[in-house]
Amino acid sequence: DEGWIDLPSRLGDRIGTGLLGARPGEVIVADSTTTNFYKLCVAAVDARPGRSAIVTDRDNFPTDRYVLEGIAESRGLTIRWLDAGDDGPQPDDVAGALGDDVALVTLCHVGYRTAAILDVDAITALAHDAGALMLWDLCHAAGSVPVDLSRSGADLAVGCTYKYLNAGPGAPAFLYVREELQPSLRQPIWGWWGRREMFEMAAGYDPEPGIRAFLGGTPPVLSMAAIEDGVELVLEAGIERIRRKGIALTEYAIGLFDAWLGPRGFTLGSPRDSRRRGAHVLVHHPDARSMCEALIERGVIPDFRQPNGIRLGMSPLTTRFVDVHRGIEMLAELASA
């Protein structure tokens, strides 16, 4: 098989032990972020029978919200929505939503719009004190900021590989299940790759022990090869150095914002404290949509975020300071036109 059958586990261990603070056998690469998130959410709510609520925030990434809404509708659960500002949900916000009816708390480690970094340790502890399971979305964290799932005691996590892990759009995602929980959680997509002795093709589903039980069908091998190269590049650079450059890039961007954009009617939508900010910056302007279109025509690719946000991504491995200068200078010119 030239090693490709073991790719999901091998890549999972490289990502988990190298970037997520996980132990071997706790991370696996498979399917899309949406599919993996669904698997983990269903496994979590099934593991808390009699509990009827899920806690998340209204600014959570759209696919997460949609999956949760579908699960809640199909299972008669309620979603307890947190309303937070640009700094994201704080521990006190989460504490106010918890109770003995909550099965699952799920939030983004780094906010996809604002880049706000949440207090993972404190929020995880609060969820556990309430008897709930904690699931973290690491899509905008993995490969850009340090993550330590073991230290925080997180139960579950999911993340993509195409942003800061460089594998390209549509590349398979990863999921994390804390080792102690693996025997008691049952994910809902029973595919042949998650079955014990898969090539026996036997009747009945007998899940593999450990993290491989969270696999579904055959993985896309060519896409996973791209993940392997992207992850090795991140590991070679080192997450601490990547984080230092991410801070330097966003600090530079905010300095230019204060000099050029603030006086021209923009407002900042990301935390100013670099300890609480990931590797992108959000700015607001009434003409954000048309400005994004104009930037793209000029070769600068931002993200438009409803209703009036312009997200400037600064992947530390590939973004230069001159790129930041050019992009923000163009925004200033557009606002002055």
Side-chain angles (χ1 to χ4, degrees):
D1 62 39
E2 299 182 352
W4 67 271
I5 286 180
D6 295 325
L7 261 179
S9 301
R10 188 166 74 247
L11 286 177
D13 281 343
R14 290 296 281 162
I15 294 169
T17 61
L19 297 173
L20 307 182
R23 295 169 288 184
E26 291 186 324
V27 177
I28 200 145
V29 175
D31 302 312
S32 66
T33 304
T34 302
T35 301
N36 286 339
F37 186 72
Y38 172 78
K39 288 191 242 181
L40 295 185
C41 288
V42 170
V45 298
D46 284 351
R48 292 293 184 268
R51 292 181 173 233
S52 59
I54 298 168
V55 173
T56 193
D57 64 304
R58 294 191 192 278
D59 204 28
N60 200 344
F61 189 72
T63 204
D64 295 12
R65 289 186 276 112
Y66 305 153
V67 166
L68 292 172
E69 288 169 0
I71 292 171
E73 181 176 303
S74 66
R75 292 167 177 264
L77 306 175
T78 59
I79 300 175
R80 201 160 293 158
W81 298 100
L82 302 175
D83 292 296
D86 288 341
D87 287 340
Q90 301 302 300
D92 286 347
D93 300 323
V94 177
L98 290 171
D100 59 10
D101 60 339
V102 175
L104 173 66
V105 180
T106 178
L107 300 166
C108 289
H109 184 298
V110 175
Y112 85 102
R113 293 179 69 253
T114 68
I117 299 175
L118 301 193
D119 190 335
V120 173
D121 294 1
I123 291 172
T124 300
L126 287 168
H128 288 168
D129 288 345
L133 291 170
M134 185 74 225
L135 193 168
W136 287 101
D137 183 326
L138 306 178
C139 285
H140 291 79
S144 70
V145 302
V147 178
D148 195 334
L149 295 172
S150 293
R151 185 199 66 213
S152 71
D155 302 303
L156 308 163
V158 66
C160 70
T161 62
Y162 73 83
K163 291 185 177 71
Y164 298 106
L165 300 184
N166 313 298
F174 63 83
L175 63 84
Y176 161 88
V177 181
R178 184 157 50 88
E179 182 180 3
E180 291 80 5
L181 289 173
Q182 291 174 14
S184 61
L185 295 185
R186 180 65 69 94
Q187 62 103 347
I189 302 176
W190 295 2
W192 76 301
W193 271 62
R195 191 192 188 280
R196 194 190 305 262
E197 301 296 338
M198 55 187 282
F199 288 109
E200 285 187 357
M201 311 291 183
Y205 185 71
D206 179 19
E208 279 265 21
I211 194 67
R212 287 188 66 89
F214 290 83
L215 291 173
T218 309
V221 176
L222 294 181
S223 295
M224 297 186 82
I227 297 172
E228 192 160 33
D229 287 342
V231 169
E232 291 304 322
L233 186 63
V234 172
L235 293 174
E236 180 183 348
I239 192 62
E240 296 300 333
R241 288 196 294 170
I242 288 172
R243 175 60 174 153
R244 285 197 297 271
K245 187 181 177 188
I247 289 173
L249 287 167
T250 55
E251 286 284 287
Y252 183 52
I254 290 174
L256 294 177
F257 167 89
D258 289 335
W260 295 345
L261 300 186
R264 289 175 169 83
F266 290 82
T267 57
L268 184 65
S270 294
R272 285 187 172 271
D273 184 349
S274 63
R275 296 169 298 180
R276 303 199 59 251
R277 185 183 62 243
H280 63 267
V281 170
L282 181 75
V283 299
H284 297 288
H285 191 276
D287 298 324
R289 185 186 290 276
S290 62
M291 285 181 172
C292 282
E293 293 170 354
L295 284 176
I296 292 170
E297 291 175 358
R298 290 163 171 77
V300 175
I301 312 299
D303 293 304
F304 173 69
R305 292 290 178 252
Q306 292 282 5
N308 60 0
I310 302 170
R311 189 182 74 167
L312 303 171
M314 302 171 203
S315 179
L317 284 180
T318 56
T319 304
R320 305 170 300 171
F321 290 91
V322 69
D323 298 327
V324 176
H325 187 282
R326 177 173 174 243
I328 294 180
E329 185 178 41
M330 284 186 181
L331 270 180
E333 291 171 355
L334 290 169
S336 300

